């Protein structure tokens, strides 16, 4: 029941190998006994259920035949757990753009403008290849503009990229606000609670007036039409427009965005069925089966169907015979 065992159970074979390299590096770990402890534990991966896997046996292997000391084993497990936490943090940061942003910022803080500029140019090329234009894209764009501002402040009094910078911040803000409103709308479907969405109207009005400035952002346009539909559920044209954008740009979106969009779209069918329009039961079932077919069934790394989706499909299949 050790915390570190709970973490190790989630490791893939590749992650197990990487973690072994991680703790074998003196920069991260100088205690050879912690490395030996992991070597013993990994023999029982991934379940870690075995009659031989006891604290007493581990103590004999690691410390010899002396009298068993519980604190010895506890301390080693604690050290291994701390290393596992750092490893997870490193993996998370390394997997997204945070790692590169931190490096650029540190180069700037160390007054190394030439090196920082090189990294910014490389980072900007990488970011510009992202076609879904999600929150992280605009967050990274804003970061790049900020870093450029710091680097040019001593060279010139003009700054020609501020207008584009402001547009990116507005898009980031709009995406974040709409996405969070969806969470509240989904919550309304699960529990007896009502939220006010008046604040979203101002965002939608601004996007509508300046629509041409936003049409280069597929994810934002999907959210825009879904928001319009959720605020005006009688207007099915907004739902179909969102669905059109979703299918057209499906391959560009991240797994998390796909799952979020499917979750929000379910509200359309649920509202129709709640109003007694039972003709939508068949459409709703086909919609859920589409999620299965495209393997958009979970936010987690390991795909497994969640209980609600599993239950809803069974109920609809039973109802429709």
């Amino acid at each position: 029941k050790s915390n570190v065992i709970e973490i190790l159970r989630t490791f893939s074979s590749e992650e197990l190998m990487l973690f072994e390299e991680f703790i074998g590096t003196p920069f991260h770990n100088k205690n050879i006994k912690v490395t030996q402890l992991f070597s013993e534990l990994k023999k029982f991966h991934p379940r870690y259920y075995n009659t031989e896997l006891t604290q007493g046996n581990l103590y004999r292997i690691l410390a010899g035949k002396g009298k068993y000391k519980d604190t010895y084993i506890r301390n080693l497990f604690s050290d291994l757990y701390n290393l596992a936490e750092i490893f997870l943090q490193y993996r998370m940061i390394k997997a997204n753009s945070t790692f590169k942003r931190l490096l650029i910022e540190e180069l700037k803080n160390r007054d190394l403008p030439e090196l920082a500029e090189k990294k910014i140019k490389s980072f900007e090329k990488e970011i510009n290849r992202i076609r879904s234009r999600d929150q992280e894209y605009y967050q990274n764009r804003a970061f790049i503009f900020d870093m450029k501002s710091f680097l040019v402040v001593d060279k010139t009094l003009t700054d020609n990229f501020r207008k584009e910078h402001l547009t990116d911040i507005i898009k980031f803000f709009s995406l974040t606000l709409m996405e969070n409103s969806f969470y509240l709308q989904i919550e309304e479907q699960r529990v007896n609670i009502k939220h006010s969405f008046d604040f979203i109207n101002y965002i939608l009005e601004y996007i509508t007036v300046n629509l041409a400035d936003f049409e280069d952002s597929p994810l934002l346009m999907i959210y825009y039409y879904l928001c319009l539909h959720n605020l005006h559920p009688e207007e099915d044209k907004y739902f179909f427009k969102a669905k059109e954008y979703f299918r057209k740009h499906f391959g560009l979106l991240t797994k998390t965005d796909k799952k979020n969009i499917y979750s929000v779209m379910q509200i359309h069918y649920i509202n129709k069925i709640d109003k007694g329009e039972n003709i939508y039961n068949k459409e709703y079932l086909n919609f859920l089966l589409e999620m299965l077919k495209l393997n958009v069934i979970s936010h987690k790394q390991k795909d497994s169907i969640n209980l609600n989706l599993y239950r809803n499909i069974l109920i609809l299949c039973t109802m429709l015979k």
Side-chain angles (χ1 to χ4, degrees), residues 80-91:
L80 188 61
Y81 174 73
N82 290 334
L83 287 166
E85 278 191 338
I86 297 170
F87 176 75
L88 291 179
Q89 292 168 356
Y90 175 80
R91 292 278 288 173

Side-chain angles (χ1 to χ4, degrees), residues 63-80:
K65 298 181 180 180
K67 185 179 179 181
Y68 174 75
K69 294 180 181 178
D70 187 61
T71 54
Y72 179 84
I73 291 295
R74 284 181 180 275
N75 287 338
L76 289 179
F77 266 88
S78 177
D79 290 346
L80 188 61

